[in-house]
Amino acid sequence: MWIREKKPVVGVFGFSGCAGDQLAILHMEDDLVDFFTSADIKFFHMAQSHQEVPEVDIALVEGSINTSKQENELKEIREKAKIVVSLGTCACYGGIQYLGENETEFKERMEYVYGKDGKNPEFLDLVGQPQAAEPISKYIKVDIMIPGCPIAPENFVPIYTKLISGLFPQKYPYPVCVECKYKDNDCFLLKGKYCLGPVTAAGCDAICPSLEVSCVGCFGPYEGSNYPSMIEKLKEIGLTEEEIKRKLRMFGGDVLEKNLDGDN
Ligand code: SF4
Ligand code: SF4
């Protein structure tokens, strides 16, 4: 915690992804003026032309890291920031592009686009050496994660408000199912339909099940998840092992490697 004597300096940085989290900030119609006036926004990738990475109190970092150039820029951001926040599920867990890690044809696709061994000179100068998508925590220490695909303003604004006030926000200690129950929704799993609510971190207010759409886990893994039980339930519903793995990895990154023993 720092004592707030002046407006905190904030930078919003973007790496690989759809830029939806930066866009979500710019679309916060009711809170946008406060966002830009309550802090000294020194860098905003999507909203400004490029400039040098400044010293900041808080760095909000979106996107996964896919090239050596991005890796170096990320490390520079870490050196110049007091607090680093991973913004959105790509930065937190690798995002959808992390799925490529587990596909056999990934190397061939890389070579097709970037040349053999990724040494296509046209791309090297521009983007650096291509590498498999990773969450930013693979390369630097992350202080706070705000997942979401994209982030939900209802989740982002309270966390950001605490941060710029010098307070440290706590993680949600429960999964999407708790928010779903508060909404009094009928449970998909009880109806024999797929839903990843039990293994997904809360914060979205269970928006999908409330609209009769199954949760696909875009807020990233809930830390207290019981994966063996979730997998068993999904098999019971009729999903194959391969389908279950892909669904859990889509927004969960290396969640299976971290949480299950054996060959998952
Ligand atoms: S519908 Fe999905 S999110 Fe809601 S309680 Fe059931 S499993 Fe959880
Ligand atoms: S219900 Fe699930 S898929 Fe929908 S926004 Fe929340 S975490 Fe993402």
Side-chain angles (χ1 to χ4, degrees), residues 2-246:
W2 72 83
I3 305 297
R4 185 175 164 172
E5 289 164 353
K6 57 186 176 65
K7 283 183 185 179
V9 179
V10 172
V12 185
F13 305 90
F15 292 106
S16 294
C18 69
D21 305 295
Q22 293 183 74
L23 205 56
I25 293 175
L26 294 173
H27 277 177
M28 298 188 310
E29 289 166 10
D30 292 342
D31 297 304
L32 194 58
V33 173
D34 287 341
F35 178 81
F36 278 102
T37 53
S38 58
D40 181 6
I41 310 291
K42 272 275 182 321
F43 190 107
F44 199 133
H45 216 131
M46 184 176 262
Q48 291 172 320
S49 49
H50 184 68
Q51 51 179 245
E52 294 302 307
V53 173
E55 303 264 347
V56 294
D57 293 309
I58 303 162
L60 304 173
V61 182
E62 176 198 66
S64 64
I65 300 302
N66 292 58
T67 71
S68 56
K69 192 171 174 188
Q70 291 181 338
E71 184 185 331
N72 293 337
E73 279 174 15
L74 177 70
K75 287 175 179 165
E76 186 184 353
I77 291 167
R78 177 68 272 187
E79 277 168 22
K80 292 182 172 175
K82 291 193 182 104
I83 291 180
V84 172
V85 180
S86 53
L87 195 67
T89 299
C90 292
C92 293
Y93 302 107
I96 291 175
Q97 55 271 36
Y98 186 89
L99 273 174
E101 289 265 295
N102 297 294
E103 289 183 359
T104 46
E105 65 283 19
F106 179 64
K107 190 163 177 285
E108 289 100 82
R109 285 209 301 265
M110 287 274 283
E111 285 186 0
Y112 179 76
V113 176
Y114 292 106
K116 198 150 180 56
D117 300 323
K119 288 196 171 55
N120 185 333
E122 284 175 38
F123 289 101
L124 269 184
D125 270 359
L126 196 62
V127 300
Q129 182 72 39
Q131 51 203 40
E134 296 282 1
I136 66 169
S137 58
K138 160 95 178 184
Y139 301 106
I140 61 162
K141 175 178 172 285
V142 172
D143 301 296
I144 296 163
M145 297 205 292
I146 306 180
C149 188
I151 54 163
E154 301 76 14
N155 188 32
F156 170 74
V157 170
I159 296 175
Y160 180 73
T161 305
K162 280 193 177 163
L163 280 172
I164 60 171
S165 310
L167 301 169
F168 210 77
Q170 300 299 314
K171 280 185 181 173
Y172 282 87
Y174 46 79
V176 169
C177 288
V178 172
E179 294 177 326
C180 192
K181 287 293 151 212
Y182 281 134
K183 295 284 187 78
D184 219 8
N185 296 326
D186 283 342
C187 178
F188 281 111
L189 292 178
L190 293 178
K191 289 187 282 186
K193 292 185 180 156
Y194 145 84
C195 187
L196 289 189
V199 294
T200 302
C204 65
D205 215 13
I207 186 167
C208 298
S210 305
L211 295 169
E212 309 242 347
V213 178
S214 298
C215 172
V216 294
C218 84
F219 264 59
Y222 160 58
E223 274 179 11
S225 296
N226 183 340
Y227 285 98
S229 167
M230 182 83 250
I231 290 168
E232 213 40 57
K233 188 71 195 166
L234 294 177
K235 278 184 186 165
E236 214 179 286
I237 283 168
L239 270 67
T240 66
E241 191 123 357
E242 197 47 41
E243 286 169 337
I244 295 169
K245 279 184 194 172
R246 283 186 65 79

